[in-house]
Amino acid sequence: MSEWWTYRPSDFLLFSPRVYERLIETHNAALWPLQLVGLLLGLVLLAAVWRGRDGDARLALAALGVIVGWVGWSFLGQRYAAINWAAAYAALGFAAEAVALVAAGAALRAPLSMPSALRRATALLLIAVAVVAYPLLAPLDGRSLASAETFAVMSEPTAIATLGALLPLRRRLALALGLVPLAWCLYAGMTLWTLGDAAAAAPLGTAALFLAALALGGRSRQASGERLRSR
């Protein structure tokens, strides 16, 4: 028996890059033209975060909950779990995230906390990447457009957009609601990196930006508040 330290991440993969690409193509073909609806919903989400109104935030959280639940069931549970046993557990995580988002959107009276300019800019950037840029990664990486991954259909862009939409919330709430999409970005990023897919940079970079924006944005607000109190 080989020593455990001799194993590489690729040794634990249960599928090849072509199998994964074919899985996405099949899922896209089955759901077309839902990808166009996802694009429209993503742009609406982007506009809601741009406006920064509390009412928009509540609706965005509730809508994201429905979308996350749908993606967890339709892709992770019904498709991806067939070639990756971990996806079945991820689908349960997405279901829990969906309930939490809907509950937060329904229960919170004033979920926004006037985020710093850094957090607001990062939020808009992540949503734009998920909705507009992520589907273009497939042809840029030499894959067909049929394997493009879109918001509200595939797990990675949906998780990225969710983290972006959470950034304007209070820091503790954003972190609590962001645990599942953050974990998925890390897992998906490592899986794509092991597959040799350049798209791995998107979910891994999103995780880093989300945590950095929460940390730095919070410090910036705290420092601003201290300066105002000292006057």
Side-chain angles (χ1 to χ4, degrees):
M1 181 177 179
S2 301
E3 291 82 357
W4 63 268
W5 58 81
T6 64
Y7 287 94
R8 297 172 298 174
S10 58
D11 295 326
F12 297 94
L13 278 178
L14 303 177
F15 50 89
S16 67
R18 178 53 192 159
V19 169
Y20 184 67
E21 181 180 353
R22 180 57 184 161
L23 180 77
I24 298 173
E25 291 173 350
T26 302
H27 189 60
N28 278 335
L31 295 183
W32 177 261
L34 188 58
Q35 291 83 354
L36 300 179
V37 177
L39 174 61
L40 178 61
L41 291 175
L43 294 177
V44 171
L45 177 63
L46 186 65
V49 173
W50 173 267
R51 294 201 304 178
R53 298 177 182 174
D54 288 344
D56 291 342
R58 290 193 291 271
L59 289 175
L61 287 176
L64 271 174
V66 175
I67 291 170
V68 167
W70 156 254
V71 171
W73 175 81
S74 64
F75 178 67
L76 295 178
Q78 300 297 308
R79 297 275 184 188
Y80 199 9
I83 65 170
N84 184 359
W85 59 267
Y89 296 97
L92 295 177
F94 270 54
E97 176 73 6
V99 173
L101 288 171
V102 172
L108 293 176
R109 295 300 179 185
L112 290 181
S113 60
M114 296 179 64
S116 66
L118 174 64
R119 282 172 61 181
R120 187 167 182 268
T122 306
L124 295 171
L125 172 64
L126 292 183
I127 297 173
V129 166
V131 175
V132 180
Y134 205 94
L136 302 178
L137 294 179
L140 290 177
D141 196 38
R143 294 185 281 119
S144 66
L145 277 174
S147 65
E149 300 177 59
T150 56
F151 171 71
V153 174
M154 299 297 299
S155 51
E156 281 82 82
T158 300
I160 292 172
T162 300
L163 289 177
L166 293 177
L167 272 177
L169 304 181
R170 296 189 299 270
R171 183 163 55 172
R172 290 183 180 179
L173 179 61
L175 186 57
L177 291 176
L179 289 178
V180 170
L182 182 63
W184 181 255
C185 281
L186 292 172
Y187 175 80
M190 291 302 299
T191 301
L192 293 172
W193 175 76
T194 305
L195 288 171
D197 194 325
L204 292 176
T206 293
L209 281 174
F210 177 77
L211 294 175
L214 282 183
L216 298 177
R219 291 178 182 176
S220 176
R221 277 187 51 105
Q222 184 178 6
S224 298
E226 291 176 352
R227 285 196 298 267
L228 289 174
R229 287 193 296 270
S230 64
R231 292 179 179 177

